[in-house]
Structure formats: C-alpha cells, structure tokens
Amino acid sequence: MINWQNFQENFDTIAVPAKTVLLNEGAVAQRIYFIKKGCLRLWFNNDGKDVTFQFFFENQSVASIESFRNHIPSQFSIETLEPCVLLSVTKERFYAILDKSTALRKEMEDYSFDRLLSYQYLFLSRIKDSPQKRYEQLLKEHPEIFQRVPQHYIASYLGITSVSLSRIRNRKV
Amino acid sequence: MINWQNFQENFDTIAVPAKTVLLNEGAVAQRIYFIKKGCLRLWFNNDGKDVTFQFFFENQSVASIESFRNHIPSQFSIETLEPCVLLSVTKERFYAILDKSTALRKEMEDYSFDRLLSYQYLFLSRIKDSPQKRYEQLLKEHPEIFQRVPQHYIASYLGITSVSLSRIRNRKV
DNA sequence: TGAATTTCTTAACAATTGTTATCGCTTCCA
DNA sequence: TGGAAGCGATAACAATTGTTAAGAAATTCA
C-alpha cells in the first residue's frame, strides 16, 4: 500500500459530506484520492440497477484506475458514503511525482500487482463460493463494513439482493 | 500482448501431449510459457472439486503469475487440454531479459495492467450477470472455446455445474 | 478395431435465490 | 421537530440452480 502522506505537499486536502460524487460514470478521471477519514464506494449503473463494485476505507487510494491511467471514460462512479477527509491530486502532478522517484514507481508497480491479485482473489471467491460463504468471509475479514455501510450496498457487492442478504443474516443466528 | 517470439533464442521449444501438467498446485512456478499451438487451463482443487479458473490459447503467455513473481507456492495447477507446442523459459532467464530491455519492462507493466483489467472485467461479470448471460457472452466473444474445450470445464469456469450448463444450452435453441 | 473412458443430456427432487410488496423503524434535513 | 426518505425484515410465489443418478454418444488408446 502506497502511503501518499509522504507527498502531502503535492496534495490538496478536502473535506466533503456524505453522498458526494467524486467521479461520474462516463467521465474521465482527472484526480486520484487518498482517504484520511471516511469511506467510499465505487459503483455503476447496470440496467437501472445500482451495483456496488468495491468499498474503500481509511489509508486507501481511490480512483477509477483504468480511466485515470488510460484517459478513457470511467465505467464507474465514485461516491462518499460518509463525510470524508481526502487528499486529492491531479493526474499531471501525480505522474510528475512518479517520474521523480523510481522507488515510488516501483512501489506503484507493486501496488498495481497487488490490486491484480485482489481482483483475482475476489473473482476466485465468485467462482468457488456460494453467496452464503462470501457473506461469512466478508463478515470475518471486514466486520467493520457492516457497521459503516448500508446493507443493500453490501448485498449488491456480494452479488445478491438485499432481501437475500437479510435472509442469510437471519438464518445464521 | 507481449510477443515472446522476438526473444525466441532464449526459449526452449517443447511439444507436449494433452493433459500434461506444467505446474502443480502448491509448487513454485519456475517457468513461464508462451503458446505457439494448443490450449491450456489454469485450475485448482476446491474441496475435491475441480474448478477451472482460466483458459489460454495460441499467442498467450501462461504462468501462475503470482507464484512466478513472488516465489510463493502456486494456488493453481496448469495443464494442457490439447497437444501443445510451447516456448518455455526459466525465471532467471526471463528476468535477465527484462533487465536488458526497458522497453520490454514497460511492455510487461502494460501487460500486468491489462491482466488486472481482465480480472476486473471478469469479476464485474460475476457481480452483474446471471450464469445464463455469462454463457451467452462467452459464446459471443469466444465461440471457439466450445469447439475446443470439454463442457464441464467451461461450466466450472462459468461458476455453474455441467448439468446446469447443459440445461442453459438446450433452453436457448 | 474394440473396450474403456470421457463427455453430454435428461429426469426428479431439494434448496436457494429473485421478485414484488408491505410494514415498522431510523435517519436526515428543511 | 416533524415530514420525507432511506433502510431492513418478512411473506408468498416464481424461477433458477444444485444434487444424484442413469443412460446414450463420442472419444481415446492399446
């Protein structure tokens, strides 16, 4: 995990309320964010249905990574779930920082690789686990999510309806 | 896509029959392969059930990438599905080539990024699509798979049983 | 070529999930 | 602070998928 706090002088610190949209589906990402406080979700519109793809919490970097890197319209929207304090930097500044530091470039490479692995891991859990098991794993590994994130977002993240998640939760008491 | 044929002098060309295991789950990957002819699958054992994670065809690179890169035991096995002709290179030689060429290193970075995106894409399809829809997409984008790969491997790749895949196929005529 | 293995389909039943709708409860702002 | 919106539980029914089993068809290989 890259800790952008070391480069804080290059960043703008911003405070935003809950439900603030940082990036709209279809727009090209101009900024990358680092979360000092709060949580966000990355989501997209699937035939009118709101599908949450990923959650982000403190000390994580957030961006529509392929939009940011390849300058293409984002497939996702990014939105705060709580009031947040964020570090924010433009694409230009960001790549200028990368160019100045090979160590940081290496770190960025490793970070990309880790994200690759996390997608592989999530994909794998989709292949081999039932929604029930995915729920139990999420509860075990990230119990804090259930304290901070509305359940219907979690349901869409797990690939099930909120009704089904509610059933699973009450089955397991 | 990296075309390793440009570096063919560093590779061994091997011909292997179908069902040849190139890497066993639990082993550390020592080689990376480039497919000249044939197809392979990457799979793992999930509580006794054979789960196929990915298919590879001509002109693709194959390795348990995290095992190869991080020198850790592979979570997957790699196995040929057809008689194959492969280019094969050891980890040492591979990184020696990378060190010699920054262009190639950049290409490798892009390749890693593309794989990240392909996992993101696959993960996304798991989140938003029904098995039925995933089947239809696979049929549209890679119809050749159904000509070359046994159906029960495709079923496990789609996250369903071969029985269910058979039902879906015969529903859609 | 012929036996053995693999592959695919189909059936019957169980289990799970989706859909739609309703009803309290909580939270959010104006 | 009070009305509106958001959130979670539950019910009833439909649809899909899993499980197990059996048999036909295709493929493999000695």
Side-chain angles (χ1 to χ4, degrees):
Chain A
M1 179 57 59
I2 305 175
N3 192 335
W4 297 110
Q5 311 226 30
N6 301 337
F7 301 88
Q8 205 157 154
E9 67 271 16
N10 295 283
F11 286 70
D12 307 317
T13 301
I14 58 174
V16 295
K19 303 207 177 187
T20 303
V21 176
L22 298 179
L23 176 66
N24 261 306
E25 200 176 325
V28 175
Q30 299 298 334
R31 288 179 168 271
I32 190 166
Y33 302 91
F34 178 84
I35 308 171
K36 291 190 82 168
K37 183 84 194 74
C39 68
L40 302 90
R41 70 187 184 108
L42 191 148
W43 67 280
F44 64 96
N45 185 308
N46 183 37
D47 291 336
K49 276 180 196 167
D50 180 315
V51 179
T52 296
F53 191 65
Q54 213 167 355
F55 298 109
F56 298 92
F57 298 92
E58 281 81 7
N59 299 318
Q60 286 190 292
S61 305
V62 184
S64 173
I65 190 77
E66 79 280 9
S67 172
F68 188 82
R69 183 188 149 113
N70 294 347
H71 319 295
I72 54 177
S74 173
Q75 294 186 274
F76 310 100
S77 294
I78 297 175
E79 180 182 286
T80 58
L81 288 167
E82 300 172 349
C84 287
V85 178
L86 306 167
L87 300 181
S88 160
V89 69
T90 61
K91 200 148 58 173
E92 293 71 25
R93 271 198 192 175
F94 178 82
Y95 283 118
I97 296 172
L98 274 200
D99 283 341
K100 271 190 287 189
S101 166
T102 54
L104 196 64
R105 178 168 285 277
K106 177 72 171 66
E107 229 180 313
M108 187 67 187
E109 224 177 278
D110 290 344
Y111 172 69
S112 294
F113 192 79
D114 283 348
R115 291 215 44 192
L116 186 148
L117 283 190
S118 78
Y119 281 123
Q120 192 186 67
Y121 174 79
L122 287 166
F123 180 36
L124 205 142
S125 113
R126 288 274 165 164
I127 283 185
K128 70 182 207 186
D129 299 330
S130 65
Q132 166 97 28
K133 197 166 170 188
R134 283 203 299 280
Y135 161 73
E136 285 162 10
Q137 257 171 6
L138 188 64
L139 188 60
K140 201 172 90 189
E141 286 164 26
H142 299 286
E144 75 280 6
I145 289 186
F146 292 89
Q147 311 308 317
R148 298 175 67 176
V149 176
Q151 201 162 295
H152 61 282
Y153 293 145
I154 297 175
S156 83
Y157 173 78
L158 288 171
I160 54 180
T161 61
S162 63
V163 175
S164 186
L165 178 54
S166 181
R167 276 193 288 236
I168 288 174
R169 285 175 69 97
N170 290 59
R171 201 151 61 205
K172 281 281 149 179
V173 176
Chain B
M1 180 57 60
I2 305 175
N3 192 333
W4 296 110
Q5 311 225 31
N6 302 335
F7 301 89
Q8 205 156 151
E9 67 272 18
N10 296 282
F11 287 68
D12 306 317
T13 301
I14 57 174
V16 295
K19 303 205 177 189
T20 303
V21 176
L22 297 178
L23 177 67
N24 261 307
E25 202 176 324
V28 175
Q30 299 299 332
R31 289 180 168 269
I32 190 166
Y33 302 91
F34 178 84
I35 309 172
K36 292 190 81 167
K37 183 83 196 73
C39 67
L40 302 89
R41 70 188 184 108
L42 190 149
W43 67 280
F44 63 97
N45 185 308
N46 183 37
D47 292 336
K49 276 180 196 167
D50 179 315
V51 178
T52 295
F53 192 63
Q54 214 168 355
F55 298 109
F56 298 93
F57 297 92
E58 281 81 7
N59 299 317
Q60 287 190 293
S61 305
V62 184
S64 173
I65 190 77
E66 79 281 8
S67 172
F68 188 81
R69 184 188 148 113
N70 296 346
H71 318 296
I72 54 177
S74 172
Q75 294 186 274
F76 310 99
S77 293
I78 296 175
E79 181 181 285
T80 57
L81 288 167
E82 299 172 348
C84 288
V85 178
L86 307 167
L87 300 181
S88 160
V89 68
T90 62
K91 200 147 59 173
E92 292 71 27
R93 269 199 193 175
F94 178 82
Y95 284 117
I97 296 172
L98 273 201
D99 282 342
K100 270 191 287 187
S101 166
T102 53
L104 197 64
R105 178 168 285 276
K106 177 75 171 63
E107 228 180 318
M108 186 67 186
E109 224 176 275
D110 290 344
Y111 172 69
S112 294
F113 192 80
D114 283 348
R115 291 215 45 191
L116 186 149
L117 284 190
S118 79
Y119 281 124
Q120 192 187 66
Y121 175 80
L122 287 167
F123 179 36
L124 206 142
S125 111
R126 288 275 165 165
I127 282 184
K128 71 181 206 190
D129 300 329
S130 64
Q132 166 98 29
K133 197 165 168 187
R134 284 204 298 280
Y135 162 72
E136 285 162 10
Q137 257 171 7
L138 187 65
L139 189 59
K140 200 172 91 189
E141 287 164 26
H142 299 287
E144 75 280 7
I145 288 186
F146 292 89
Q147 310 308 317
R148 298 176 66 176
V149 176
Q151 201 161 292
H152 62 281
Y153 293 145
I154 297 175
S156 83
Y157 173 79
L158 288 171
I160 54 179
T161 61
S162 64
V163 174
S164 186
L165 178 55
S166 180
R167 275 194 289 236
I168 287 173
R169 286 175 68 95
N170 290 58
R171 201 151 61 205
K172 280 282 149 177
V173 176

